[in-house]
Amino acid sequence: TLKKNDNKHNYKHGIVSSEAACNYRLYLNHLQEKIYEKVPPFNPSAKGSIRLLRLPHRHGSAKAIATAFDQLNISTPYVMIAQHDNFFIRDVQYLQQILNFMDDDDSKSWLQCVHFPSTATLKYVPKIKRRYGLDLENFCRPHKSRGLSQTAEKLCDLDGTFVPLIFWYGRTHIARTTYYTDMILRHFPLNVGDHLEELWGTRQLREILQCSAKTKSKNGHESEDNTAQTSPDDVESRFRKVHDKYGNYVFFDNSHSSKCTPPAKDVNFEQHEVIYHLSGRKARAATNNASEAEINYSFQIHQSPSVQRYAPQGTSFTTARRALALVPGLEFPHTKECQQELCQSESDVSQLRPIPKRIFKQRCFHCGEKGHSFKNCPASVSRDDEVQSKTEVLDLS
């Protein structure tokens, strides 16, 4: 949908100005030139190739991915679905080993999709236990191998843990090609504007939680027949049966950590994200006429020794943390609300917290209560020995 002289864009829903649409076409033209001229990083390695598939009209991410599968005749056994707003902030030194491991017959029954760690999946086991009361510890799959894989006869020097995901995340990941062609893109009729995370995420979460949820008997009374009347082995079997259908895991690599590093499912295990989700609501293209000092203004606020990882309170609803990426060519909009969030201090944090424009209906990631968001949570304000959440800067320059 094109709008004239309207600055209220909604790119996710395809509402843009004529100027924005024109700029996007110019961007695609420049991108095609770089691919044609093989300008790094658009120079394929080995026998690979790069092709830009230009769509005649808006599809949305789900239909765009489906169209790519239909028109590009993908013949590789694996694909990487990369999100445009996901940045790799650490090297992935285990990618080939993961693919070799997926070649093994033993993994084909349960492993379909491997995610790279992100802020949303750090400390995933305690996070899910806090939020849903579901203990994933027994479903994690530690793996340590040296030398050749059992069936594929390929080098599989892999040391880490596969942690099952209970929500289908639309983050950058690698997957079996058949996982997409036979299931993800074929199970639902895809409409313009659909997102795979919205189609599959709540569906998987609902099915997983039903493994131990209360059910109603014929007389209308609730009974926990999924837990009380069945053995733990039966509950575990049902979980694995449901999750094997989705087969999505996040992999935490231990091979480049200390020899004394505890397993990835350990609450105290120091985990790092590999990809970072850059929200379009937090950044914009750096203006050409802005001075370097102005562009780096919001970044310099965080360049102090006081910046630290988010340490949740004992009753915190999540174990996630807040992070902000410094990306070349991007800047933070100098809005009042943005500066309030960036300039929060321990002395007058209550005055700087932005007032929400509308009622927040979801659960707070910090305390678990409904009615306010994470950044407006009263429990996250530092008092005495309580630790206030800090924002960590990820320097990608």
Side-chain angles (χ1 to χ4, degrees), residues 154-285:
K154 296 179 180 179
L155 183 63
C156 189
D157 188 1
L158 194 63
D159 182 7
T161 302
F162 293 93
V163 178
L165 300 174
I166 68 170
F167 186 89
W168 204 95
Y169 292 98
R171 300 292 172 87
T172 297
H173 60 271
I174 55 177
R176 302 184 191 275
T177 301
T178 54
Y179 179 62
Y180 269 83
T181 57
D182 299 346
M183 177 180 173
I184 299 301
L185 299 176
R186 296 292 178 260
H187 197 84
F188 293 108
L190 300 179
N191 300 313
V192 173
D194 280 347
H195 294 268
L196 294 176
E197 180 176 292
E198 295 174 356
L199 295 175
W200 284 101
T202 54
R203 179 187 178 94
Q204 180 184 5
L205 178 63
R206 181 175 64 252
E207 291 184 8
I208 290 293
L209 296 181
Q210 283 177 348
C211 291
S212 58
K214 292 182 179 181
T215 59
K216 288 187 177 182
S217 59
K218 293 182 179 180
N219 57 12
H221 296 291
E222 290 186 348
S223 63
E224 295 192 14
D225 54 5
N226 280 338
T227 54
Q229 299 177 14
T230 57
S231 66
D233 291 340
D234 291 335
V235 175
E236 180 174 341
S237 177
R238 283 201 304 272
F239 178 92
R240 295 193 184 279
K241 183 178 180 180
V242 172
H243 191 271
D244 285 352
K245 178 175 65 174
Y246 296 92
N248 51 343
Y249 290 78
V250 56
F251 179 76
F252 292 98
D253 179 37
N254 296 339
S255 60
H256 299 93
S257 304
S258 170
K259 294 182 179 180
C260 299
T261 299
K265 60 187 178 182
D266 194 316
V267 174
N268 298 316
F269 176 56
E270 184 67 16
Q271 298 177 355
H272 301 280
E273 60 266 77
V274 172
I275 59 173
Y276 172 81
H277 173 231
L278 182 67
S279 173
R281 292 171 293 181
K282 295 180 181 179
R284 68 183 180 190

Side-chain angles (χ1 to χ4, degrees), residues 119 122-123 127 130-131 267 269-271 273 306-324 353 364-368 373-375 377-382 386-393:
T119 302
L122 293 182
K123 305 298 180 70
K127 173 182 177 180
R130 287 172 184 260
R131 185 174 299 183
V267 174
F269 176 56
E270 184 67 16
Q271 298 177 355
E273 60 266 77
S306 63
V307 174
Q308 63 187 36
R309 289 185 177 276
Y310 169 48
Q313 302 172 18
T315 58
S316 177
F317 190 51
T318 183
T319 54
R321 63 184 181 83
R322 303 179 74 178
L324 202 62
R353 289 183 177 274
C364 170
F365 285 169
H366 182 77
C367 68
S373 64
F374 174 87
K375 66 181 181 181
C377 178
S380 66
V381 180
S382 177
E386 293 180 349
V387 181
Q388 180 188 3
S389 62
K390 299 289 185 179
T391 300
E392 180 185 9
V393 171

